[in-house]
PDB file of all heavy atoms in Angstrom:
ATOM      1  N   ARG A  29     101.088 113.525  99.711  1.00 92.00           N
ATOM      2  CA  ARG A  29     100.467 113.197 101.035  1.00 92.00           C
ATOM      3  C   ARG A  29     101.128 111.889 101.590  1.00 92.00           C
ATOM      4  O   ARG A  29     101.385 111.849 102.787  1.00 92.00           O
ATOM      5  CB  ARG A  29      99.001 113.130 100.874  1.00 92.00           C
ATOM      6  CG  ARG A  29      98.266 112.785 102.168  1.00 92.00           C
ATOM      7  CD  ARG A  29      96.812 112.598 101.981  1.00 92.00           C
ATOM      8  NE  ARG A  29      96.101 113.856 101.718  1.00 92.00           N
ATOM      9  CZ  ARG A  29      95.379 114.128 100.594  1.00 92.00           C
ATOM     10  NH1 ARG A  29      95.222 113.176  99.752  1.00 92.00           N
ATOM     11  NH2 ARG A  29      94.817 115.261 100.437  1.00 92.00           N
ATOM     12  N   ALA A  30     101.296 110.946 100.763  1.00 94.00           N
ATOM     13  CA  ALA A  30     101.875 109.681 101.286  1.00 94.00           C
ATOM     14  C   ALA A  30     103.272 109.823 101.829  1.00 94.00           C
ATOM     15  O   ALA A  30     103.665 109.315 102.836  1.00 94.00           O
ATOM     16  CB  ALA A  30     101.756 108.629 100.170  1.00 94.00           C
ATOM     17  N   CYS A  31     104.053 110.616 101.031  1.00 94.00           N
ATOM     18  CA  CYS A  31     105.447 110.844 101.393  1.00 94.00           C
ATOM     19  C   CYS A  31     105.502 111.610 102.679  1.00 94.00           C
ATOM     20  O   CYS A  31     106.325 111.380 103.585  1.00 94.00           O
ATOM     21  CB  CYS A  31     106.131 111.570 100.227  1.00 94.00           C
ATOM     22  SG  CYS A  31     106.446 110.529  98.811  1.00 94.00           S
ATOM     23  N   ALA A  32     104.701 112.662 102.828  1.00 92.00           N
ATOM     24  CA  ALA A  32     104.655 113.491 103.982  1.00 92.00           C
ATOM     25  C   ALA A  32     104.219 112.674 105.251  1.00 92.00           C
ATOM     26  O   ALA A  32     104.764 112.734 106.307  1.00 92.00           O
ATOM     27  CB  ALA A  32     103.637 114.629 103.896  1.00 92.00           C
ATOM     28  N   ALA A  33     103.236 111.787 105.063  1.00 92.00           N
ATOM     29  CA  ALA A  33     102.775 110.907 106.126  1.00 92.00           C
ATOM     30  C   ALA A  33     103.888 109.960 106.546  1.00 92.00           C
ATOM     31  O   ALA A  33     104.095 109.693 107.759  1.00 92.00           O
ATOM     32  CB  ALA A  33     101.562 110.145 105.737  1.00 92.00           C
ATOM     33  N   ASP A  34     104.552 109.445 105.640  1.00 94.00           N
ATOM     34  CA  ASP A  34     105.675 108.531 105.858  1.00 94.00           C
ATOM     35  C   ASP A  34     106.802 109.196 106.626  1.00 94.00           C
ATOM     36  O   ASP A  34     107.303 108.721 107.620  1.00 94.00           O
ATOM     37  CB  ASP A  34     106.253 107.980 104.546  1.00 94.00           C
ATOM     38  CG  ASP A  34     107.415 107.045 104.771  1.00 94.00           C
ATOM     39  OD1 ASP A  34     107.232 105.942 105.354  1.00 94.00           O
ATOM     40  OD2 ASP A  34     108.552 107.387 104.207  1.00 94.00           O
ATOM     41  N   GLU A  35     107.108 110.410 106.316  1.00 93.00           N
ATOM     42  CA  GLU A  35     108.064 111.157 106.985  1.00 93.00           C
ATOM     43  C   GLU A  35     107.695 111.466 108.424  1.00 93.00           C
ATOM     44  O   GLU A  35     108.475 111.671 109.316  1.00 93.00           O
ATOM     45  CB  GLU A  35     108.443 112.464 106.246  1.00 93.00           C
ATOM     46  CG  GLU A  35     109.200 112.158 104.920  1.00 93.00           C
ATOM     47  CD  GLU A  35     109.402 113.484 104.168  1.00 93.00           C
ATOM     48  OE1 GLU A  35     108.937 114.505 104.575  1.00 93.00           O
ATOM     49  OE2 GLU A  35     109.963 113.398 103.048  1.00 93.00           O
ATOM     50  N   ALA A  36     106.343 111.609 108.618  1.00 92.00           N
ATOM     51  CA  ALA A  36     105.829 111.945 109.904  1.00 92.00           C
ATOM     52  C   ALA A  36     105.637 110.682 110.814  1.00 92.00           C
ATOM     53  O   ALA A  36     105.152 110.742 111.900  1.00 92.00           O
ATOM     54  CB  ALA A  36     104.388 112.640 109.827  1.00 92.00           C
ATOM     55  N   GLY A  37     105.998 109.501 110.271  1.00 92.00           N
ATOM     56  CA  GLY A  37     106.002 108.286 111.144  1.00 92.00           C
ATOM     57  C   GLY A  37     104.718 107.533 110.970  1.00 92.00           C
ATOM     58  O   GLY A  37     104.514 106.489 111.684  1.00 92.00           O
ATOM     59  N   VAL A  38     103.895 107.852 110.036  1.00 93.00           N
ATOM     60  CA  VAL A  38     102.684 107.118 109.743  1.00 93.00           C
ATOM     61  C   VAL A  38     103.020 105.804 108.946  1.00 93.00           C
ATOM     62  O   VAL A  38     103.935 105.832 108.143  1.00 93.00           O
ATOM     63  CB  VAL A  38     101.649 107.946 108.927  1.00 93.00           C
ATOM     64  CG1 VAL A  38     100.446 107.118 108.536  1.00 93.00           C
ATOM     65  CG2 VAL A  38     101.267 109.121 109.704  1.00 93.00           C
ATOM     66  N   SER A  39     102.427 104.732 109.335  1.00 94.00           N
ATOM     67  CA  SER A  39     102.601 103.498 108.551  1.00 94.00           C
ATOM     68  C   SER A  39     101.941 103.568 107.273  1.00 94.00           C
ATOM     69  O   SER A  39     100.655 103.584 107.230  1.00 94.00           O
ATOM     70  CB  SER A  39     102.123 102.286 109.376  1.00 94.00           C
ATOM     71  OG  SER A  39     102.820 102.126 110.551  1.00 94.00           O
ATOM     72  N   VAL A  40     102.631 103.730 106.083  1.00 96.00           N
ATOM     73  CA  VAL A  40     102.060 103.928 104.808  1.00 96.00           C
ATOM     74  C   VAL A  40     102.084 102.607 104.035  1.00 96.00           C
ATOM     75  O   VAL A  40     103.197 101.992 103.852  1.00 96.00           O
ATOM     76  CB  VAL A  40     102.717 105.018 104.091  1.00 96.00           C
ATOM     77  CG1 VAL A  40     102.163 105.196 102.672  1.00 96.00           C
ATOM     78  CG2 VAL A  40     102.673 106.372 104.839  1.00 96.00           C
ATOM     79  N   TYR A  41     100.935 102.137 103.573  1.00 97.00           N
ATOM     80  CA  TYR A  41     100.866 100.937 102.726  1.00 97.00           C
ATOM     81  C   TYR A  41     100.420 101.344 101.338  1.00 97.00           C
ATOM     82  O   TYR A  41      99.316 102.010 101.134  1.00 97.00           O
ATOM     83  CB  TYR A  41      99.902  99.979 103.316  1.00 97.00           C
ATOM     84  CG  TYR A  41     100.307  99.343 104.635  1.00 97.00           C
ATOM     85  CD1 TYR A  41     100.029 100.080 105.839  1.00 97.00           C
ATOM     86  CD2 TYR A  41     100.918  98.160 104.637  1.00 97.00           C
ATOM     87  CE1 TYR A  41     100.359  99.493 107.040  1.00 97.00           C
ATOM     88  CE2 TYR A  41     101.285  97.567 105.856  1.00 97.00           C
ATOM     89  CZ  TYR A  41     101.021  98.268 107.081  1.00 97.00           C
ATOM     90  OH  TYR A  41     101.375  97.686 108.281  1.00 97.00           O
ATOM     91  N   ALA A  42     101.253 101.082 100.293  1.00 97.00           N
ATOM     92  CA  ALA A  42     100.906 101.370  98.942  1.00 97.00           C
ATOM     93  C   ALA A  42     100.242 100.181  98.326  1.00 97.00           C
ATOM     94  O   ALA A  42     100.823  99.026  98.250  1.00 97.00           O
ATOM     95  CB  ALA A  42     102.157 101.744  98.155  1.00 97.00           C
ATOM     96  N   HIS A  43      99.036 100.336  97.854  1.00 97.00           N
ATOM     97  CA  HIS A  43      98.280  99.184  97.240  1.00 97.00           C
ATOM     98  C   HIS A  43      98.151  99.414  95.737  1.00 97.00           C
ATOM     99  O   HIS A  43      97.604 100.295  95.221  1.00 97.00           O
ATOM    100  CB  HIS A  43      96.862  99.119  97.915  1.00 97.00           C
ATOM    101  CG  HIS A  43      96.168  97.924  97.631  1.00 97.00           C
ATOM    102  ND1 HIS A  43      95.609  97.109  98.737  1.00 97.00           N
ATOM    103  CD2 HIS A  43      95.912  97.118  96.533  1.00 97.00           C
ATOM    104  CE1 HIS A  43      95.110  95.981  98.211  1.00 97.00           C
ATOM    105  NE2 HIS A  43      95.284  95.994  96.919  1.00 97.00           N
ATOM    106  N   ASN A  44      98.776  98.458  95.044  1.00 95.00           N
ATOM    107  CA  ASN A  44      98.600  98.438  93.611  1.00 95.00           C
ATOM    108  C   ASN A  44      97.092  98.102  93.206  1.00 95.00           C
ATOM    109  O   ASN A  44      96.596  97.116  93.584  1.00 95.00           O
ATOM    110  CB  ASN A  44      99.494  97.322  93.003  1.00 95.00           C
ATOM    111  CG  ASN A  44      99.665  97.400  91.532  1.00 95.00           C
ATOM    112  OD1 ASN A  44      98.663  97.817  90.817  1.00 95.00           O
ATOM    113  ND2 ASN A  44     100.802  96.944  91.008  1.00 95.00           N
ATOM    114  N   LEU A  45      96.483  99.083  92.495  1.00 91.00           N
ATOM    115  CA  LEU A  45      95.104  98.937  92.192  1.00 91.00           C
ATOM    116  C   LEU A  45      94.815  98.088  90.895  1.00 91.00           C
ATOM    117  O   LEU A  45      93.577  98.031  90.599  1.00 91.00           O
ATOM    118  CB  LEU A  45      94.498 100.391  92.022  1.00 91.00           C
ATOM    119  CG  LEU A  45      94.452 101.144  93.308  1.00 91.00           C
ATOM    120  CD1 LEU A  45      93.867 102.547  93.139  1.00 91.00           C
ATOM    121  CD2 LEU A  45      93.802 100.486  94.445  1.00 91.00           C
ATOM    122  N   SER A  46      95.810  97.541  90.348  1.00 87.00           N
ATOM    123  CA  SER A  46      95.518  96.679  89.248  1.00 87.00           C
ATOM    124  C   SER A  46      94.924  95.378  89.782  1.00 87.00           C
ATOM    125  O   SER A  46      95.285  94.844  90.830  1.00 87.00           O
ATOM    126  CB  SER A  46      96.767  96.230  88.462  1.00 87.00           C
ATOM    127  OG  SER A  46      96.555  95.304  87.539  1.00 87.00           O
ATOM    128  N   ALA A  47      93.787  94.936  89.157  1.00 82.00           N
ATOM    129  CA  ALA A  47      93.020  93.877  89.676  1.00 82.00           C
ATOM    130  C   ALA A  47      93.869  92.582  90.016  1.00 82.00           C
ATOM    131  O   ALA A  47      93.629  91.887  90.987  1.00 82.00           O
ATOM    132  CB  ALA A  47      91.849  93.481  88.865  1.00 82.00           C
ATOM    133  N   LEU A  48      94.751  92.257  89.152  1.00 84.00           N
ATOM    134  CA  LEU A  48      95.488  90.990  89.210  1.00 84.00           C
ATOM    135  C   LEU A  48      96.907  91.158  89.809  1.00 84.00           C
ATOM    136  O   LEU A  48      97.723  90.309  89.739  1.00 84.00           O
ATOM    137  CB  LEU A  48      95.575  90.285  87.888  1.00 84.00           C
ATOM    138  CG  LEU A  48      94.239  90.018  87.239  1.00 84.00           C
ATOM    139  CD1 LEU A  48      94.479  89.298  85.923  1.00 84.00           C
ATOM    140  CD2 LEU A  48      93.374  89.186  88.155  1.00 84.00           C
ATOM    141  N   ALA A  49      97.160  92.378  90.316  1.00 90.00           N
ATOM    142  CA  ALA A  49      98.545  92.657  90.856  1.00 90.00           C
ATOM    143  C   ALA A  49      98.851  91.724  92.105  1.00 90.00           C
ATOM    144  O   ALA A  49      98.002  91.378  92.896  1.00 90.00           O
ATOM    145  CB  ALA A  49      98.632  94.080  91.327  1.00 90.00           C
ATOM    146  N   LEU A  50     100.030  91.270  92.090  1.00 92.00           N
ATOM    147  CA  LEU A  50     100.568  90.486  93.246  1.00 92.00           C
ATOM    148  C   LEU A  50     101.478  91.347  94.179  1.00 92.00           C
ATOM    149  O   LEU A  50     101.764  90.885  95.253  1.00 92.00           O
ATOM    150  CB  LEU A  50     101.274  89.261  92.716  1.00 92.00           C
ATOM    151  CG  LEU A  50     100.511  88.319  91.928  1.00 92.00           C
ATOM    152  CD1 LEU A  50     101.426  87.164  91.364  1.00 92.00           C
ATOM    153  CD2 LEU A  50      99.380  87.700  92.801  1.00 92.00           C
ATOM    154  N   GLN A  51     101.930  92.505  93.688  1.00 94.00           N
ATOM    155  CA  GLN A  51     102.778  93.328  94.466  1.00 94.00           C
ATOM    156  C   GLN A  51     102.767  94.769  93.884  1.00 94.00           C
ATOM    157  O   GLN A  51     102.192  94.971  92.820  1.00 94.00           O
ATOM    158  CB  GLN A  51     104.237  92.753  94.477  1.00 94.00           C
ATOM    159  CG  GLN A  51     104.825  92.652  93.128  1.00 94.00           C
ATOM    160  CD  GLN A  51     106.143  91.995  93.091  1.00 94.00           C
ATOM    161  OE1 GLN A  51     106.612  91.424  94.085  1.00 94.00           O
ATOM    162  NE2 GLN A  51     106.929  92.146  92.062  1.00 94.00           N
ATOM    163  N   TRP A  52     103.423  95.674  94.567  1.00 96.00           N
ATOM    164  CA  TRP A  52     103.624  97.057  94.031  1.00 96.00           C
ATOM    165  C   TRP A  52     104.641  96.990  92.877  1.00 96.00           C
ATOM    166  O   TRP A  52     105.604  96.335  92.939  1.00 96.00           O
ATOM    167  CB  TRP A  52     104.056  97.897  95.156  1.00 96.00           C
ATOM    168  CG  TRP A  52     104.234  99.378  94.763  1.00 96.00           C
ATOM    169  CD1 TRP A  52     105.299 100.047  94.320  1.00 96.00           C
ATOM    170  CD2 TRP A  52     103.037 100.298  94.664  1.00 96.00           C
ATOM    171  NE1 TRP A  52     105.047 101.341  93.998  1.00 96.00           N
ATOM    172  CE2 TRP A  52     103.706 101.517  94.154  1.00 96.00           C
ATOM    173  CE3 TRP A  52     101.715 100.237  94.878  1.00 96.00           C
ATOM    174  CZ2 TRP A  52     102.899 102.663  93.974  1.00 96.00           C
ATOM    175  CZ3 TRP A  52     100.953 101.411  94.660  1.00 96.00           C
ATOM    176  CH2 TRP A  52     101.514 102.559  94.245  1.00 96.00           C
ATOM    177  N   ASP A  53     104.373  97.765  91.908  1.00 94.00           N
ATOM    178  CA  ASP A  53     105.320  97.842  90.774  1.00 94.00           C
ATOM    179  C   ASP A  53     106.386  98.860  91.127  1.00 94.00           C
ATOM    180  O   ASP A  53     106.217  99.989  91.254  1.00 94.00           O
ATOM    181  CB  ASP A  53     104.610  98.248  89.492  1.00 94.00           C
ATOM    182  CG  ASP A  53     103.642  97.174  88.949  1.00 94.00           C
ATOM    183  OD1 ASP A  53     103.859  96.020  89.227  1.00 94.00           O
ATOM    184  OD2 ASP A  53     102.723  97.568  88.337  1.00 94.00           O
ATOM    185  N   GLY A  54     107.658  98.370  91.158  1.00 92.00           N
ATOM    186  CA  GLY A  54     108.809  99.201  91.452  1.00 92.00           C
ATOM    187  C   GLY A  54     109.071  99.431  92.915  1.00 92.00           C
ATOM    188  O   GLY A  54     108.510  98.676  93.761  1.00 92.00           O
ATOM    189  N   ASP A  55     110.051 100.275  93.229  1.00 94.00           N
ATOM    190  CA  ASP A  55     110.486 100.480  94.606  1.00 94.00           C
ATOM    191  C   ASP A  55     109.569 101.578  95.287  1.00 94.00           C
ATOM    192  O   ASP A  55     108.954 102.387  94.607  1.00 94.00           O
ATOM    193  CB  ASP A  55     111.934 101.032  94.559  1.00 94.00           C
ATOM    194  CG  ASP A  55     112.947 100.019  94.055  1.00 94.00           C
ATOM    195  OD1 ASP A  55     112.632  98.803  94.194  1.00 94.00           O
ATOM    196  OD2 ASP A  55     113.877 100.391  93.393  1.00 94.00           O
TER     197      ASP A  55
END
């Protein structure tokens, strides 16, 4: 769903759900 939305021009934000995360893990 996220990939399809991204391809459709939706601004997709991936949120790392680890409590102490400072950023998304990986590309």
Side-chain angles (χ1 to χ4, degrees):
R29 179 182 289 123
C31 291
D34 178 61
E35 292 176 359
V38 176
S39 296
V40 178
Y41 293 85
H43 196 126
N44 190 330
L45 294 180
S46 176
L48 302 182
L50 298 177
Q51 61 185 12
W52 184 262
D53 291 333
D55 297 328

